[in-house]
Amino acid sequence: TVQIDTIHPNAFARSDSIGCLRDQALLEGMSDNPAAQLEWYDSSGQKINRGNRFTVSEGGRYQLEVTLPRNGCRTLLWHEVYRDSLLISDVSLQTVNPICKAISGSVNVFQTLGGHGGMEFSVDDPDQWQSSTEFKGLLPGIHVLFARDSAGCRYQKSFAITEIPAVQTDLVPEITLRLGQSTRLDLTVLPDPAIAASFRWSPETYLSCSDCEDPETFPLQNIEYEVTVVDTNGCLAIQTILIRV
């Protein structure tokens, strides 16, 4: 009698799960036959490891193939590595930069992707937490926002508070004319003329325009003008010029 060896090896598998406190999982295959050969494949059938244990950084299905060399019999076993689907993946921030010569700005967390609930936040100091999503009094520069949830999972993201230069003006303080002469009021807007949103000269007497940058004036007597410049952020610059005739 010829006996055919068709005994298949037993296969066992176990693994850790992937979460915020563990970014890799140890995947371990076993067999009750010490002569068995073990190989691992990913879900697409690609061989990824020869041996009984290795680490993976992605959750999903992995296949263990256990083979007995003496008869070639194989046992296939699928094993699932679980990855926490509620890990914090991103936070959306809204920054307010200091304008109009303000010295500080703010940041607000308006959306969190992922998390197990009970979110707390901190800026620059991971030991000072608050449930409020708004942080004020931030000086210009690079800051780090920290987030954590009720499971202890954490996430951090850098952001910048940028100082926005306020509009400034440069205008000679005084011009002397002879009666019948005219002059252009040559106003310079700093740091960039493009930031000027509006001009207002007052009074309008003798001016060619009162809402332009550089009006001409034909004064018949001494007069002092005041110009108000509003920039694109709503900041004001006010300056005066005296015309003597």
Side-chain angles (χ1 to χ4, degrees):
T1 302
V2 178
Q3 294 184 342
I4 300 176
D5 185 356
T6 59
I7 296 176
H8 285 68
N10 291 322
F12 311 94
R14 64 187 179 188
S15 68
D16 302 318
S17 59
I18 298 174
C20 60
L21 304 180
R22 185 188 296 114
D23 59 3
Q24 290 185 327
L26 176 63
L27 190 55
E28 186 174 13
M30 296 161 285
S31 175
D32 56 0
N33 191 320
Q37 296 178 344
L38 285 70
E39 293 181 325
W40 284 97
Y41 297 81
D42 63 18
S43 58
S44 65
Q46 183 73 29
K47 184 187 294 185
I48 53 176
N49 187 72
R50 180 189 293 271
N52 68 319
R53 59 167 56 188
F54 70 107
T55 57
V56 295
S57 57
E58 296 292 334
R61 286 167 54 84
Y62 296 86
Q63 187 180 63
L64 173 64
E65 181 183 275
V66 180
T67 305
L68 285 180
R70 73 167 188 262
N71 60 12
C73 292
R74 299 182 304 163
T75 298
L76 302 179
L77 177 68
W78 284 99
H79 182 77
E80 183 86 19
V81 174
Y82 292 97
R83 183 180 187 275
D84 188 349
S85 62
L86 294 178
L87 295 178
I88 305 170
S89 59
D90 195 14
V91 290
S92 297
L93 306 177
Q94 184 177 35
T95 57
V96 177
N97 296 313
I99 60 173
C100 303
K101 299 181 181 180
I103 62 173
S104 65
S106 64
V107 67
N108 183 59
V109 183
F110 68 88
Q111 186 178 31
T112 302
L113 298 181
H116 297 81
M119 297 300 302
E120 292 183 313
F121 305 96
S122 175
V123 169
D124 296 333
D125 185 354
D127 295 323
Q128 298 292 328
W129 298 95
Q130 65 180 50
S131 58
S132 171
T133 60
E134 186 175 20
F135 294 84
K136 298 180 179 180
L138 302 178
L139 297 178
I142 302 298
H143 299 270
V144 179
L145 180 124
F146 298 92
R148 71 177 182 184
D149 63 17
S150 58
C153 298
R154 296 195 179 196
Y155 183 85
Q156 67 182 65
K157 186 174 187 176
S158 298
F159 65 95
I161 295 295
T162 303
E163 184 177 7
I164 307 299
V167 63
Q168 300 179 56
T169 57
D170 185 26
L171 184 65
V172 295
E174 185 176 311
I175 296 176
T176 300
L177 300 176
R178 292 179 181 177
L179 186 63
Q181 283 186 315
S182 66
T183 188
R184 187 166 69 102
L185 304 182
D186 190 8
L187 177 69
T188 301
V189 177
L190 302 170
D192 181 358
I195 69 173
S198 67
F199 303 90
R200 175 59 59 187
W201 293 85
S202 178
E204 301 180 12
T205 309
Y206 308 127
L207 293 178
S208 60
C209 59
S210 61
D211 58 356
C212 56
E213 183 174 355
D214 302 316
E216 284 194 60
T217 181
F218 303 84
L220 301 178
Q221 58 187 4
N222 293 346
I223 188 169
E224 185 177 58
Y225 293 108
E226 180 182 89
V227 60
T228 301
V229 181
V230 181
D231 69 15
T232 52
N233 292 308
C235 305
L236 303 181
I238 301 174
Q239 196 165 2
T240 61
I241 181 174
L242 176 63
I243 309 297
R244 292 186 182 277
V245 180

